[in-house]
Amino acid sequence: MRDTTVELHGREVAYTDIGDPDGTPVLFFHGAPMSRRNLGDQHTEFAEAGLRVLTPDRPGYGGSAPAPGRTLTDWADDMAAFADALGLDRFLVAAHSSGGPYGVVTAALLPDRVRGTVVLGGVTDFAWAPAWEGYSPDECAMMRLPDEKAALEWGERNLGEGPSEWPEPDRKLFATRHVPHLAASAKEAFAQGVGGYTQDAWVQGRPWTFDPTAVAASFLVAHGDQDTVVPLVHATHTAGLVPGTELRMLPDHGHVTVLWELPGMLTELRERR
């Protein structure tokens, strides 16, 4: 795994580069609280699939500099600059959990560069009222605060350690060799404190201000059928926003186990016209 940085718009962005260095490029957007190291132990699987997976930390996470006042749509500009800096013309996009909206906005605002997108267990637009139902009460409280400053203050006082109960497939996963890797990735998310995560959660609660119908390439929304972290209605709602979306339920999967389906799904997307 290559773990390095690049400067974008005057800010340092940390990212990892795994898989086949000559393979099809993929930009992966991690969940929250996670970091660029989220997929580190899948290097071999991605390499065998001929995929080069690049995972940037979002602002304030891990090794990426904060970006006060950022918006969701700013991410597409960042990813265009990121791809330019790495010499990438077109690429696939994959996103997980709270990274989901970042996958949608990138596909919508960079339609000439995104070859296809897969969103796994992703959250949807919280302007849709049912999105709040069944979602984490703590995150909902943070997302409903009036501004970033209030969210940061709340996070410093109240931030917990993630869901208290995980779906059964995830609990089984956490009992395997993957535990140290995932725990280290989550710990790295807080390398600069709670600011990256609290800003991310607050931005997540803002209405989407872009047009999802602008997505031009294949779009796949996949969700574990036992996911209790992000409600299934998030997947169905996002699928309804993007024309031509394929909605796929993954049997016997929770919220985290779906990540091991990525090599196969990305290979599918690469082969589609």
Side-chain angles (χ1 to χ4, degrees):
M1 179 174 70
R2 181 170 176 245
D3 192 348
T4 187
T5 62
V6 64
E7 185 173 305
L8 305 177
H9 308 309
R11 289 183 284 109
E12 189 170 76
V13 173
Y15 70 96
T16 54
D17 186 345
I18 66 173
D20 180 356
D22 298 315
T24 302
V26 179
L27 305 190
F28 175 73
F29 307 144
H30 61 75
M34 270 289 165
S35 70
R36 66 192 184 279
R37 297 174 181 168
N38 199 169
L39 301 178
D41 70 340
Q42 293 194 66
H43 168 81
T44 300
E45 289 85 348
F46 287 121
E48 290 176 348
L51 298 165
R52 178 189 182 191
V53 182
L54 302 136
T55 304
D57 281 332
R58 287 195 288 281
Y61 279 105
S64 287
R70 72 174 177 88
T71 67
L72 177 60
T73 56
D74 290 337
W75 186 249
D77 289 337
D78 281 354
M79 290 304 96
F82 181 73
D84 289 345
L86 273 63
L88 308 177
D89 180 19
R90 303 187 69 221
F91 44 84
L92 295 169
V93 165
H96 178 238
S97 192
S98 291
Y102 295 89
V104 183
V105 74
T106 301
L109 297 187
L110 302 178
D112 295 333
R113 303 190 72 168
V114 175
R115 296 176 54 178
T117 301
V118 55
V119 174
L120 290 165
V123 300
T124 194
D125 182 0
F126 276 86
W128 181 60
W132 299 89
E133 298 170 10
Y135 200 68
S136 163
D138 285 348
E139 283 201 61
C140 286
M142 194 189 308
M143 289 189 289
R144 285 185 163 120
L145 291 170
D147 52 44
E148 281 185 22
K149 182 175 182 293
L152 176 59
E153 292 171 350
W154 189 98
E156 289 175 339
R157 293 192 308 268
N158 302 292
L159 192 60
E161 298 181 353
S164 57
E165 294 187 12
W166 288 94
E168 179 62 21
D170 294 333
R171 291 200 299 272
K172 290 180 180 179
L173 174 70
F174 298 156
T176 73
R177 64 181 177 86
H178 302 299
V179 171
H181 165 74
L182 292 172
S185 181
K187 181 178 180 181
E188 175 64 14
F190 296 106
Q192 301 177 62
V194 301
Y197 174 56
T198 55
Q199 182 193 54
D200 212 33
W202 189 80
V203 170
Q204 181 173 282
R206 304 312 101 202
W208 291 2
T209 59
F210 63 95
D211 181 8
T213 67
V215 173
S218 294
F219 200 90
L220 171 61
V221 174
H223 210 91
D225 68 350
Q226 297 184 43
D227 190 342
T228 57
V229 177
V230 174
L232 174 59
V233 293
H234 284 244
T236 57
H237 185 254
T238 296
L241 295 175
V242 180
T245 294
E246 177 187 351
L247 176 61
R248 187 179 299 181
M249 292 297 103
L250 303 179
D252 303 318
H253 274 290
H255 186 63
V256 178
T257 58
V258 293
L259 290 171
W260 277 264
E261 299 295 329
L262 263 181
M265 290 184 179
L266 288 166
T267 299
E268 283 185 50
L269 287 177
R270 178 180 57 196
E271 301 306 319
R272 294 180 184 179
R273 289 185 178 273

